[in-house]
Amino acid sequence: MKLLLAGIVVILIVETNAQWYNFPGEAFNGARDMWRAYGDMRDANWKDSDKYFHARGNADAAQRGAGGRWAAEVISNGREWIQERTGHGAEDSAADQRANEHGRNGGDPNVYRPAGLPSRY
């Protein structure tokens, strides 16, 4: 437990450079962005929209700063790790990760937007 806590502290210090005090808020808000994208995906229930919502959630979170980017990466990697372990296919997981990274790296999520998805998303 102490090692885990020390690791988290080191990550917080390294990832945030000199603005360590912003990191927790950015991470919290980034996690909220990810949760909002997930809720929108469930609400839309639109065929082939999964990659779009992955990219959008990661892009929104990463725009918050280092904390948001960290939260998006942890949440995305954790989700894909669970999916792979429960037998949901490595190919789909790899495609999801490409969409996640695209969004986190500042790419336009609309690249993955399916035709006909309502504009509110």
Side-chain angles (χ1 to χ4, degrees):
M1 183 66 175
K2 290 179 184 178
L3 183 60
L4 176 63
L5 184 58
I8 291 172
V9 169
V10 168
I11 289 171
L12 290 174
I13 291 169
V14 170
E15 287 287 326
T16 60
N17 298 324
Q19 297 181 358
W20 59 270
Y21 50 86
N22 290 331
F23 191 89
E26 292 170 356
F28 178 79
N29 288 322
R32 281 187 23 210
D33 290 334
M34 297 289 288
W35 183 254
R36 186 177 344 94
Y38 175 73
D40 287 348
M41 180 178 70
R42 304 260 315 178
D43 181 52
N45 194 26
W46 201 266
K47 183 178 171 112
D48 298 326
S49 66
D50 182 44
K51 308 302 180 267
Y52 166 72
F53 287 107
H54 277 268
R56 195 193 84 188
N58 277 271
D60 291 348
Q63 288 176 357
R64 302 256 182 207
R69 182 177 174 79
W70 175 81
E73 189 170 355
V74 168
I75 291 168
S76 296
N77 290 343
R79 180 184 180 277
E80 297 310 323
W81 183 84
I82 290 169
Q83 271 198 314
E84 285 180 9
R85 298 308 176 266
T86 57
H88 282 80
E91 293 160 8
D92 185 51
S93 183
D96 286 349
Q97 284 290 45
R98 283 191 297 278
N100 293 336
E101 290 172 12
H102 177 80
R104 266 195 312 271
N105 292 330
D108 182 10
N110 288 313
V111 168
Y112 294 99
R113 186 180 192 88
L117 182 67
S119 61
R120 71 176 184 211
Y121 303 111

